[in-house]
Amino acid sequence: MKAWERRERILRDLKKNNGPIKGTELAQQYNVTRQVIVQDVALLRARGENVLATPQGYIIPKVGEDNRIVKKIVCKHAGYDEIEDELMTIVDLGGRIIDVIVEHPVYGEINGSLEISSRLDVEEFMSSLRKTNAEPLSSLTDGIHIHTIETRDEESFKRIKKALKDRGYLIDED
């Protein structure tokens, strides 16, 4: 198989799949190294394809499908326990956390794709954070960060905002 054919098949796989696909899975499927997949994805991005690398694997986001609501919230907290509580609160109330964004004074907007939609996703994300001792993006901005959240309706979004406000995480625009 030629490289361009493999890239087209990877793109097709990502478009038809509802969830992320790990680079190692793609590498096994196409009998290449994971580094070849990383390069293929970089080339797909360079030509304008919206392929995201998430902690769960590569995905083409399906944002706002089926009249779902996609909005941003601004939060502030510190520490892994509060991160976990915030994320669990959002998914428990029916939200999907698409990303995290911070406004860095030198680099401008820094966006990290999350694609978290279940308690299992939160647990895996937190395990990865703890295992690597990685600093969350919000550590760059004194805990202030933005999440893009997708919900099935406006009422679900309001419940999420209220719960986050009650926990002291939401920076409300009021």
Side-chain angles (χ1 to χ4, degrees), residues 15-109:
K15 284 182 178 178
K16 75 176 183 182
N17 203 26
N18 286 330
I21 304 174
K22 292 201 174 291
T24 52
E25 291 174 35
L26 291 169
Q28 290 172 350
Q29 181 178 340
Y30 293 106
N31 199 29
V32 295
T33 65
R34 187 180 181 300
Q35 190 54 43
V36 168
I37 298 299
V38 170
Q39 182 178 343
D40 284 344
V41 169
L43 291 168
L44 288 169
R45 287 179 177 156
R47 77 174 202 204
E49 300 295 344
N50 190 20
V51 180
L52 299 179
T54 74
Q56 297 85 22
Y58 295 111
I59 191 169
I60 295 178
K62 297 167 178 73
V63 177
E65 287 188 347
D66 301 326
N67 297 320
R68 295 178 68 84
I69 305 295
V70 178
K71 292 187 176 186
K72 295 189 184 311
I73 57 170
V74 181
C75 294
K76 180 176 182 177
H77 53 68
Y80 287 0
D81 290 343
E82 289 186 351
I83 292 171
E84 186 169 11
D85 185 52
E86 174 201 48
L87 298 176
M88 287 291 194
T89 299
I90 294 168
V91 299
D92 284 349
L93 292 171
R96 178 170 71 99
I97 305 122
I98 296 171
D99 60 15
V100 60
I101 304 164
V102 295
E103 291 288 334
H104 192 272
V106 175
Y107 298 111
E109 186 175 281

